[in-house]
């Protein structure tokens, strides 16, 4: 019997992950600072596989990604805050163009501020920073740099305030553009703020806005659409700062004093680096119907038989053990996954 238990333990040895469970599966989130920034940049560059045309690609993408969650016949207009007119929050989904009353494509990172100019391809046609906007209101913003303010959007002393509803969206789009296009889209060029407390050209203004304005349903919808390359106008990549605003803190440090830290939407980036996603799986010879973890966790559980057929798949919440009582005796492959990674191990059920 002891030999059988020894064999059971020997099979609980980690090996390469069988397949990617999530978009961030290969990112080591125990890293921080510029090391994490560079890894995320590589990810969003490599997964950006569909390069949209400015016309009609971006138009068509916006009609899918920026639909009003409460009314599918409308798109949401960035900077908007009223029921109608130039500052309206919504407009008919097909009312796009260049005339008064239409919505057009707002470059949150203005083309003229890029170095070199963003143009109408590449960075200039990246749908992650292009948002529907009222034609006239878009013109009022022009290429003014973003500056702090309160309340609704509009011109302020130093530039343009996007409004309390939209400032988090803007911050996360600028962060994305910086990672995706590096020095062509420096945050310090498009916003009024200080970079002295960050390791590169990120400015405190965008860290502040990212923390103060939580992620919206609209932002999540945009990310979901663009990752899925089955969607005709999807780019294939995601904006990491929408998925988890706390990534900005992991890279560039805390927002300015007096600002709360941004939300950790995964609930684990705030863990100390020495304990972050280091789930370990072990057996207990006295409880053969369970496998055990070294700490409680939320995760996706999958079990495969030796020919690769998935026989268990479920979400597990706040558990430290895995019930394998339903399995017949034999060899299996266990995979547990979180947004931040996954581990795969063989085990023997006796």
């Amino acid at each position: 019997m002891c030999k059988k238990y020894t064999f059971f333990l020997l099979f609980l040895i980690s090996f390469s992950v069988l397949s990617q469970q999530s978009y961030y599966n290969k990112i080591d989130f125990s890293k921080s600072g510029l090391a994490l920034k560079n890894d995320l940049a590589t990810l969003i560059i490599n997964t950006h596989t569909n390069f949209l045309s400015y016309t009609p690609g971006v138009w068509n993408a916006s009609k899918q990604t920026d639909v009003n969650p409460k009314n599918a016949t409308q798109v949401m207009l960035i900077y908007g805050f009223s029921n109608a007119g130039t500052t309206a929050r919504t407009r008919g989904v097909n009312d796009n163009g260049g005339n008064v009353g239409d919505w057009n494509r707002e470059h949150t990172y203005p083309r003229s501020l890029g170095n070199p100019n963003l143009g109408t391809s590449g960075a200039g046609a990246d749908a992650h920073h292009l948002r529907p906007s009222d034609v006239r209101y878009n013109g009022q913003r022009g290429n003014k740099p973003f500056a702090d303010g309160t309340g609704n959007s509009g011109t302020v002393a130093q530039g343009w305030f996007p409004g309390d509803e939209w400032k988090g969206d803007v911050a996360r789009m600028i962060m994305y553009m910086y990672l995706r296009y590096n020095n062509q889209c420096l945050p310090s060029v498009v916003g009024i703020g200080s970079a002295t407390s960050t390791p590169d050209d990120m400015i405190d203004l965008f860290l502040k806005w990212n923390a103060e304005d939580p992620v919206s349903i609209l932002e999540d919808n945009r990310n979901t659409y663009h990752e899925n390359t089955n969607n005709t106008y999807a780019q294939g990549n995601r904006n990491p700062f929408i998925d988890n605003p706390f990534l900005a803190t992991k890279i560039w440090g805390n927002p300015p004093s007096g600002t709360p830290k941004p939300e950790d939407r995964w609930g684990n980036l705030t863990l100390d680096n020495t304990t972050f996603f280091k789930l370990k799986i072990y057996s207990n010879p006295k409880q053969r119907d369970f496998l055990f973890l070294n700490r409680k966790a939320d995760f996706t559980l999958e079990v495969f038989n030796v020919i690769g057929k998935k026989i268990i798949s479920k979400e597990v919440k706040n558990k430290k053990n895995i019930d394998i009582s339903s399995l017949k005796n034999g060899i299996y492959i266990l995979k547990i996954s979180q947004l931040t990674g996954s581990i795969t191990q063989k085990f023997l059920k006796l």
Side-chain angles (χ1 to χ4, degrees):
M1 185 64 70
C2 290
K3 289 183 179 179
K4 288 185 178 180
Y5 286 133
T6 301
F7 185 57
F8 179 85
L9 291 171
L10 286 173
F11 268 96
L12 278 171
I13 300 173
S14 296
F15 63 99
S16 300
V17 175
L18 292 177
S19 61
Q20 186 171 340
Q21 167 67 16
S22 70
Y23 185 75
Y24 300 100
N25 198 49
K26 296 181 181 179
I27 299 295
D28 179 1
F29 286 104
S30 67
K31 294 183 180 181
S32 59
L34 298 185
L36 179 57
K37 174 193 169 190
N38 292 336
D39 286 354
L40 288 171
T42 299
L43 175 66
I44 65 176
I45 290 169
N46 289 345
T47 55
H48 187 175
T49 55
N50 183 26
F51 292 83
L52 299 176
S53 61
Y54 189 57
T55 302
V58 172
W59 284 124
N60 291 325
S62 297
K63 291 178 181 181
Q64 300 294 321
T65 60
D66 289 80
V67 170
N68 181 356
K70 297 181 179 180
N71 186 340
T73 68
Q74 300 172 335
V75 292
M76 300 291 293
L77 304 183
I78 195 166
Y79 315 139
F81 57 85
S82 65
N83 292 327
T86 301
T87 59
R89 292 180 71 252
T90 63
R91 192 67 45 78
V93 68
N94 293 316
D95 294 336
N96 59 297
N99 298 318
V100 173
D102 289 341
W103 61 267
N104 63 2
R105 298 155 293 185
E106 156 69 334
H107 291 76
T108 54
Y109 200 108
R111 286 181 287 188
S112 61
L113 297 184
N115 184 22
N117 186 298
L118 304 189
T120 56
S121 62
D126 192 314
H128 277 293
H129 85 120
L130 286 158
R131 300 286 288 267
S133 177
D134 177 85
V135 168
R136 287 185 294 179
Y137 213 38
N138 190 353
Q140 288 183 36
R141 189 264 167 135
N143 66 355
K144 294 185 183 78
F146 292 112
D148 210 5
T150 58
N152 294 327
S153 61
T155 300
V156 293
Q158 293 182 297
W160 181 262
F161 179 58
D164 288 335
E165 180 180 357
W166 304 103
K167 61 186 181 182
D169 301 52
V170 166
R172 290 180 279 272
M173 286 186 283
I174 298 305
M175 291 172 180
Y176 163 86
M177 292 295 284
Y178 186 27
L179 264 62
R180 177 62 184 85
Y181 300 101
N182 198 14
N183 290 342
Q184 186 180 11
C185 295
L186 294 176
S188 55
V189 174
V190 75
I192 305 298
S194 172
T196 57
S197 62
T198 64
D200 55 8
D201 284 280
M202 180 49 62
I203 60 173
D204 54 7
L205 175 70
F206 297 130
L207 295 177
K208 177 175 180 285
W209 287 356
N210 176 55
E212 290 178 336
D213 179 23
V215 173
S216 66
I217 294 174
L218 180 62
E219 290 178 273
D220 280 331
N221 290 345
R222 289 171 55 82
N223 243 10
T224 300
Y225 180 89
H226 276 297
E227 182 191 3
N228 185 358
T229 51
N230 289 325
N231 297 324
T232 304
Y233 302 102
Q235 294 187 173
N237 60 353
R238 298 179 71 91
N239 181 337
F241 304 103
I242 291 174
D243 289 323
N244 199 329
F246 196 81
L247 287 170
T249 297
K250 288 277 288 183
I251 295 172
W252 294 294
N254 292 323
S257 178
T259 305
K261 289 184 179 180
E263 179 188 9
D264 177 4
R265 300 185 79 192
W266 299 334
N268 49 21
L269 289 186
T270 51
L271 294 175
D272 182 83
N273 287 346
T274 60
T275 61
F276 178 74
F277 196 70
K278 296 208 173 170
L279 292 177
K280 297 182 184 298
I281 306 169
Y282 60 93
S283 63
N284 184 336
K286 296 181 179 180
Q287 299 186 56
R288 286 182 288 171
D289 284 337
F290 291 90
L291 300 176
F292 296 88
L293 304 176
N294 57 320
R295 59 181 172 84
K296 288 186 176 181
D298 298 343
F299 54 91
T300 300
L301 167 68
E302 296 172 289
V303 177
F304 303 83
N305 62 19
V306 290
I307 62 173
K309 181 181 179 180
K310 186 186 297 184
I311 52 179
I312 296 177
S313 179
K314 64 181 179 179
E315 298 296 320
V316 179
K317 298 292 184 183
N318 197 33
K319 292 289 187 180
K320 196 177 179 178
N321 58 52
I322 299 168
D323 185 349
I324 56 173
S325 61
S326 64
L327 299 178
K328 298 178 180 178
N329 292 349
I331 297 173
Y332 298 92
I333 298 168
L334 170 74
K335 182 176 181 180
I336 58 176
S337 307
Q338 296 176 310
L339 282 173
T340 51
S342 63
I343 53 176
T344 306
Q345 296 184 352
K346 284 184 180 179
F347 69 93
L348 175 66
K349 170 71 186 299
L350 296 174

